[in-house]
Amino acid sequence: MQRVPPALCSPPGPAWLGRGTPGLAAKAPMEMGSRSTGKFYRIPEGKGPHSVGCTDLMTGDAVEGSFLRLYYPCHATDNEEAAWIPDREYYQGLSDFLNMYRVVGERLFQYYVGSVTCPAKSNAAFKPGEKYPLLVFSHGLGAFRTIYSAICIEMASQGFIVAAVEHRDESASATYYCKKKSVSTPEESTSNMEKEWIYYRKLKSGEEERCWRHKQVQQRVQECTKVLDLILKINSGEEVTNVLNSNFDWSSLKDSVDTSRIAVMGHSFGGATVIESLSKEPRFRCGISLDPWMLPVGDDIYQNSVQQPLLIINSEKFQWASNILKMNKLISNDTNKKMITIKGTVHQSFPDFTFVSGDMIGRFFKLKGDIDPNEAIDISNHASLAFLQKHLSLNKDFDKWDSLVDGIGPNVIPGTNIDLPATEPE
């Protein structure tokens, strides 16, 4: 029987501030959040040579359109930092996902993280002048496009354009598309569009999870491919209509994407999306799968269908034997496919929640591991950059971190820390 761990998502696991424990949060208002502690608990800034901007793009007026947050090198600017969680409906979706009453969850999230910003300048002018490699990012179960900003901002600061997809397969805690209003009156907003929200769908009674998750991952692959097509269309100079209100000049991206250097990256369910995407989209030259959940991956994928290089970066505390055996089956006998494990990490060491929670709340709800969150994300990012330099043939100095890709260095090991059976069970 397939084990499904309790914390597959990007936000905190289902036990986090559940219905029976709101009092715990009330006793520790200084432990997590921004209103009282924003200066102390911040998502880390990028460490590369580029300033980073971000903007949101939505195309179409139906669920089949694309929705993404773009992180990119920008000119230095006084623009405000972008909102981390931009709409109250995301708090409601997180509450549903975590089995909390919405009225309680929304107030808690608003209090603790309502004023958190991500350290990227909102709608800052794009920095042209060179061709940047493109990275498409896929979020985990219960997450959405903004929750991995520490990773995406670091990659952009190092000279990547990063398109963080918001999936509409009902795996996000919340997402939306904009549709035309059925009735418009002069008293209403000047916009004739309204948001149609899609919330996380839990398994139905008697529903077989593997079948449902595999169906979802197929949609996720399509959404990643659509976003790739969209960015390449913009790069070619084609005009796109952003249904969101934004003053960002998308035409400034013309001829700025290195179309020969494209990769895909994701966490958990997004890690499975990476593997499926590599098997179906040859324009992705390589992929990075962070702590992947292998249940959604189809059986056909293991039959040599992933030809591109793949780096798997696991946490120490999340993985289990049957999941690792599937990874081993995927990467065996291929020197361009690597697996490493970062010691002292948990599944939530990759999303942003680990940075905006204090030690007590962070450890109690497994948002933090034994290692400092900044050190953990640095190891992951450095290994990723070294891997990308090698397999995208980048002219950078990321090869100084090559040893991490082989699992050599402080707080990293090659392969896995999980004890595996001598032979794979039937």
Side-chain angles (χ1 to χ4, degrees):
M1 183 176 179
Q2 174 67 45
R3 173 194 164 204
V4 181
L8 297 169
C9 57
S10 325
W16 191 84
L17 296 183
R19 290 182 182 175
T21 57
L24 178 61
K27 294 176 183 177
M30 297 295 289
E31 269 296 314
M32 176 176 177
S34 58
R35 185 158 300 187
S36 302
T37 58
K39 294 183 179 179
F40 304 102
Y41 297 122
R42 271 184 60 83
I43 297 165
E45 298 180 3
K47 298 178 174 64
H50 297 281
S51 298
V52 178
C54 73
T55 190
D56 291 327
L57 173 62
M58 183 185 293
T59 61
D61 57 359
V63 70
E64 292 80 16
S66 292
F67 192 16
L68 64 101
R69 174 163 285 191
L70 195 79
Y71 301 84
Y72 52 89
C74 73
H75 291 293
T77 177
D78 292 331
N79 289 32
E80 292 184 354
E81 291 186 346
W84 182 49
I85 299 180
D87 294 278
R88 63 188 290 267
E89 285 83 358
Y90 289 106
Y91 300 139
Q92 296 173 356
L94 286 168
S95 301
D96 292 347
F97 182 74
L98 301 173
N99 295 315
M100 299 168 64
Y101 294 114
R102 280 188 175 186
V103 65
V104 175
E106 184 178 343
R107 292 178 70 177
L108 285 172
F109 279 111
Q110 181 62 48
Y111 179 82
Y112 285 116
V113 298
S115 59
V116 170
T117 57
C118 75
K121 299 296 187 177
S122 178
N123 295 318
F126 178 74
K127 183 180 179 181
E130 62 179 286
K131 287 185 177 291
Y132 302 102
L134 174 64
L135 189 60
V136 175
F137 193 95
S138 173
H139 64 72
L141 197 71
F144 36 91
R145 71 190 186 284
T146 69
I147 296 299
Y148 295 87
S149 63
I151 294 172
C152 296
I153 288 170
E154 175 61 16
M155 295 297 149
S157 80
Q158 299 288 357
F160 288 80
I161 293 174
V162 184
V165 183
E166 187 155 293
H167 292 295
R168 291 168 170 167
D169 61 332
E170 299 178 290
S171 68
S173 58
T175 187
Y176 66 94
Y177 62 95
C178 291
K179 66 176 184 178
K180 293 182 180 179
K181 293 179 179 177
S182 55
V183 178
S184 181
T185 64
E187 291 76 18
E188 292 186 55
S189 166
T190 55
S191 172
N192 66 342
M193 307 294 284
E194 61 183 353
K195 295 178 180 179
E196 181 74 15
W197 284 90
I198 304 167
Y199 293 100
Y200 176 78
R201 181 172 90 71
K202 298 182 179 181
L203 286 175
K204 299 174 182 176
S205 177
E207 186 173 22
E208 205 279 309
E209 180 163 27
R210 190 166 189 269
C211 180
W212 169 236
R213 299 305 183 196
H214 184 63
K215 180 179 179 181
Q216 286 181 302
V217 84
Q218 300 307 306
Q219 179 174 334
R220 284 166 151 258
V221 170
Q222 292 175 2
E223 289 169 340
C224 288
T225 302
K226 282 183 182 178
V227 163
L228 171 56
D229 291 337
L230 179 61
I231 299 300
L232 294 182
K233 179 187 293 187
I234 293 169
N235 181 67
S236 71
E238 290 189 46
E239 185 176 344
V240 298
T241 300
N242 187 4
V243 301
L244 305 176
N245 292 323
S246 168
N247 59 4
F248 182 75
D249 181 10
W250 286 95
S251 68
S252 64
L253 269 68
K254 182 180 179 181
D255 296 328
S256 291
V257 176
D258 188 336
T259 58
S260 68
R261 294 181 168 94
I262 300 170
V264 60
M265 186 178 192
H267 172 244
S268 195
F269 202 172
T273 307
V274 166
I275 293 166
E276 288 272 355
S277 295
L278 288 173
S279 75
K280 294 175 174 62
E281 180 47 76
R283 289 177 294 177
F284 291 128
R285 284 184 52 183
C286 61
I288 299 170
S289 184
L290 306 173
D291 229 9
W293 179 38
M294 300 297 288
L295 178 70
V297 176
D299 292 336
D300 59 310
I301 301 301
Y302 300 99
Q303 309 303 318
N304 297 317
S305 65
V306 177
Q307 302 298 317
Q308 304 96 313
L310 172 67
L311 175 62
I312 297 173
I313 304 178
N314 286 332
S315 68
E316 181 180 11
K317 303 293 177 65
F318 172 72
Q319 292 295 339
W320 63 102
S322 61
N323 210 48
I324 293 290
L325 287 171
K326 290 181 179 179
M327 297 180 212
N328 283 343
K329 190 174 181 180
L330 188 70
I331 68 176
S332 62
N333 303 318
D334 188 340
T335 57
N336 287 324
K337 294 184 174 67
K338 303 276 189 177
M339 184 200 301
I340 62 173
T341 299
I342 303 174
K343 294 192 289 186
T345 52
V346 294
H347 198 48
Q348 307 303 333
S349 294
F350 299 96
D352 295 337
F353 274 94
T354 190
F355 301 108
V356 296
S357 60
D359 286 341
M360 185 180 76
I361 293 291
R363 291 181 187 279
F364 186 86
F365 294 111
K366 298 182 180 179
L367 304 178
K368 294 179 184 288
D370 299 326
I371 189 175
D372 178 86
N374 292 279
E375 182 179 356
I377 209 68
D378 281 349
I379 293 171
S380 179
N381 286 336
H382 291 166
S384 298
L385 289 165
F387 179 82
L388 290 168
Q389 170 160 328
K390 179 178 180 180
H391 296 292
L392 296 181
S393 304
L394 303 176
N395 184 23
K396 301 283 188 179
D397 65 348
F398 305 150
D399 54 351
K400 62 189 175 185
W401 297 308
D402 276 351
S403 62
L404 294 176
V405 180
D406 293 318
I408 300 171
N411 293 312
V412 64
I413 61 171
T416 181
N417 61 304
I418 302 298
D419 292 329
L420 301 175
T423 58
E424 184 174 353
E426 295 295 331

